[in-house]
Amino acid sequence: MKPVIRRRECPDTGAWPDSLPPLLRRIHAARGSTCIDEAQPRLSNLLPPDSLGGMEAATALLADAIARDRRILIVGDFDCDGATACAVGVRGLQMLGARNVQHAVPNRRVHGYGLSPALVEELAALGPELLVTVDHGIACHAGIGAAKARGWDVLVTDHHLPGEVLPPADAIVNPNLPDDGFPSKVLAGVGVMFYVLLALRRRLRERGMLASEPDLSVLLDLVAVGTVADLVPLDANNRALVAAGLRRLRAGNGCAGLKALIEVAGRDAQRLSATDIGFAIAPRINAAGRLEDMALGIECLLTDDPSQARELAAVLHGINAERQGLQQDMVDEAESMLPRIDPDAVLPPALCFYDPQWHPGVVGLVASKLKERTHRPVVAFAPAEPGGDSLRGSARSIPGLHIRDVLAAVDHAHPGLMDRFGGHAMAAGLSLPLHSLAAFRAAWQTQVAAVLDPALLQAELWSDGELAADQLDRHHAELLRDAAPWGQGYPEPLFDGCFDVVGTRLVGANHLKLRLRLGSRQLDAIQFGGADACPVTARVRIAYRLAADDWRGGDAIQLIVVHREPA
């Protein structure tokens, strides 16, 4: 769908230091920041850990377990946020004196999502006394009930939206509980676990249980990766966490596993950005949980042996390559279904896809790609097991539509249609029987149509305006790269303008290189996938990002074209 380019309002307000360049003032102000502490927050600006609800009960459980040398079992999730949260939990508890810390993670195909009764039965062999969930648990009523029936204590750390009834855990830390006054509701699962460790360190200090004060900031490389990977909004609190983690990684102080993943992904650690995490590091960790077993990813994040880390990173790199091929095949198949939905290409406001040959670990990526292509909320389903009659689905939304609320409304109107569901405003997961697919598709499309403003179906690109010719240089490109961790809710700067086309050439299968002219200056640009876009005209209007061209080095820059249209 062709997007409309709109320009952000850039209010000339706020208290900015004279040292901050005018371009950065304009960009930060357009994202709602009014001062340098909001635009580039530091760790000293973090919200206090004790302001997060449930900490009293959570830290009491953990402190008692450490004091009594109880067996603590951390149960992760099979995505990057869950893997990094698990690694942070294991490393952090060991730093704080826990001697009996183990970890486990469900296998997507064997156990399904979260702490299930089947997983609890397997975990019994490990003999846990305190079970800690990370990045899940708030919807795992049956699994937590099974754990409690075995006499285990259970601490839930999660950030997903809760249902009407909370699970029977001994303690729950989740900023999205209805009565929690924590100002930031958008902590990732790894952020919640990091906050629990901060609060636990204080409790242990007050009890006199710390021989020395461990520096938990060494875990921020993992916190940054999990936070960026989970696409949570980067409010000031999350940006402080991500920025600190990026500083560690750029300085070469990350854990062995992340350093190995940066290397195998071909990224420059000294120039690492949140974009590199999102598009290169996180997918390699995620691939383990999508196609194989996330235990591989967690093992890579926990090892301190550089040689083992490189071996595991190489395995993850190979799995990710397999994932990319599988994903492309599934996206191609789903896109081929679009004309069959409506021969006149008038798409319904919500789309639902299913193929019996699809892989359940990749349907979330398929839903994301099709959401981007159609600018419609999308849910994609695959069999939970090959040939089985139970489906697992992933839903992705567009701005302005809360996808989990839509699923909750479907569940309220059609009790029992879905076996389970959960998630966030922009992404959710669900499962249902194959025979319920047609009924779900109808209910899903009806509910979206009832609550979605049709105007939201017009794709938009929000630009920070034009850059002058003298701003199209290496200095401003590096300013933008280093200014802040850009991401969800605090988007990377995007500009628009009109240029003359001097020349074009194809790169790879379908990427388009352009030579552009603005006044007397000529500029290099690239549009990934641009060969499939509209024909190139002599003069174009583009939406683009200004990037330093590290491949050519020196003062070279490149415009990364996000959208192109005739001027």
Side-chain angles (χ1 to χ4, degrees), residues 393-480:
S394 286
R396 298 294 184 268
S397 192
I398 59 175
L401 181 73
H402 196 299
I403 203 72
R404 186 194 174 278
D405 285 355
V406 169
L407 294 178
V410 169
D411 185 59
H412 181 75
H414 304 275
L417 185 62
M418 295 179 287
D419 293 331
R420 60 190 301 175
F421 68 93
H424 304 292
M426 299 300 290
L430 66 155
S431 61
L432 50 80
L434 175 59
H435 64 77
S436 298
L437 178 60
F440 171 82
R441 178 183 284 113
W444 152 259
Q445 293 182 333
T446 298
Q447 181 59 32
V448 170
V451 300
L452 181 65
D453 181 351
L456 296 175
L457 296 176
Q458 172 60 61
E460 296 176 325
L461 283 174
W462 286 94
S463 166
D464 291 290
E466 294 187 72
L467 286 178
D470 62 359
Q471 293 176 312
L472 293 166
D473 59 18
R474 181 85 178 200
H475 169 67
H476 285 89
E478 291 180 346
L479 274 180
L480 294 170

Side-chain angles (χ1 to χ4, degrees), residues 235-563:
D235 64 358
N237 206 63
N238 278 339
R239 290 206 314 284
L241 293 170
V242 172
L246 280 171
R247 287 194 294 272
R248 290 194 60 81
L249 289 167
R250 289 171 180 166
N253 294 326
C255 67
L258 289 181
K259 289 196 284 188
L261 286 167
I262 292 168
E263 180 181 342
V264 79
R267 292 308 197 263
D268 182 352
Q270 294 182 342
R271 295 185 174 95
L272 198 74
S273 68
T275 300
D276 292 320
I277 291 175
F279 287 94
I281 310 306
R284 285 166 171 78
I285 300 172
N286 270 326
R290 295 187 188 282
L291 299 189
E292 298 287 342
D293 184 350
M294 183 48 92
L296 283 170
I298 295 173
E299 187 179 355
C300 184
L301 300 178
L302 284 175
T303 184
D304 292 319
D305 181 343
S307 177
Q308 184 185 27
R310 283 191 291 271
E311 291 177 6
L312 291 167
V315 173
L316 294 173
H317 180 70
I319 296 172
N320 187 57
E322 179 186 355
R323 185 273 307 168
Q324 287 174 317
L326 182 61
Q327 174 189 331
Q328 189 58 57
D329 289 344
M330 289 169 59
V331 169
D332 290 344
E333 291 166 4
E335 288 185 337
S336 72
M337 299 177 190
L338 289 174
R340 300 204 299 267
I341 294 174
D342 190 311
D344 297 321
V346 179
L347 299 176
L351 301 175
C352 179
F353 297 90
Y354 164 69
D355 189 291
Q357 303 304 315
W358 283 356
H359 192 292
V362 189
V363 287
L365 300 174
V366 171
S368 293
K369 290 291 185 182
L370 290 168
K371 182 261 296 186
E372 294 168 7
R373 158 86 184 267
T374 64
H375 199 69
R376 298 286 196 277
V378 171
V379 59
F381 287 99
E385 298 178 358
D389 58 2
S390 177
L391 304 183
R392 290 189 191 145
S394 286
R396 298 294 184 268
S397 192
I398 59 175
L401 181 73
H402 196 299
I403 203 72
R404 186 194 174 278
D405 285 355
V406 169
L407 294 178
V410 169
D411 185 59
H412 181 75
H414 304 275
L417 185 62
M418 295 179 287
D419 293 331
R420 60 190 301 175
F421 68 93
H424 304 292
M426 299 300 290
L430 66 155
S431 61
L432 50 80
L434 175 59
H435 64 77
S436 298
L437 178 60
F440 171 82
R441 178 183 284 113
W444 152 259
Q445 293 182 333
T446 298
Q447 181 59 32
V448 170
V451 300
L452 181 65
D453 181 351
L456 296 175
L457 296 176
Q458 172 60 61
E460 296 176 325
L461 283 174
W462 286 94
S463 166
D464 291 290
E466 294 187 72
L467 286 178
D470 62 359
Q471 293 176 312
L472 293 166
D473 59 18
R474 181 85 178 200
H475 169 67
H476 285 89
E478 291 180 346
L479 274 180
L480 294 170
R481 181 177 63 191
D482 300 336
W486 313 106
Q488 193 79 11
Y490 209 83
E492 187 175 358
L494 183 73
F495 306 97
D496 73 277
C498 294
F499 299 82
D500 295 317
V501 178
V502 177
T504 65
R505 64 184 175 92
L506 289 179
V507 179
N510 64 342
H511 307 317
L512 184 66
K513 289 278 287 187
L514 302 103
R515 186 71 172 169
L516 305 177
R517 183 172 58 237
L518 180 65
S520 61
R521 290 203 57 192
Q522 291 197 9
L523 303 152
D524 288 313
I526 186 167
Q527 183 178 11
F528 295 105
D532 298 330
C534 63
V536 181
T537 53
R539 186 165 172 80
V540 294
R541 184 189 185 195
I542 60 172
Y544 65 93
R545 295 189 172 93
L546 175 63
D549 191 341
D550 294 325
W551 179 260
R552 290 191 295 157
D555 61 357
I557 62 166
Q558 187 168 233
L559 309 186
I560 310 298
V561 179
V562 175
H563 171 70

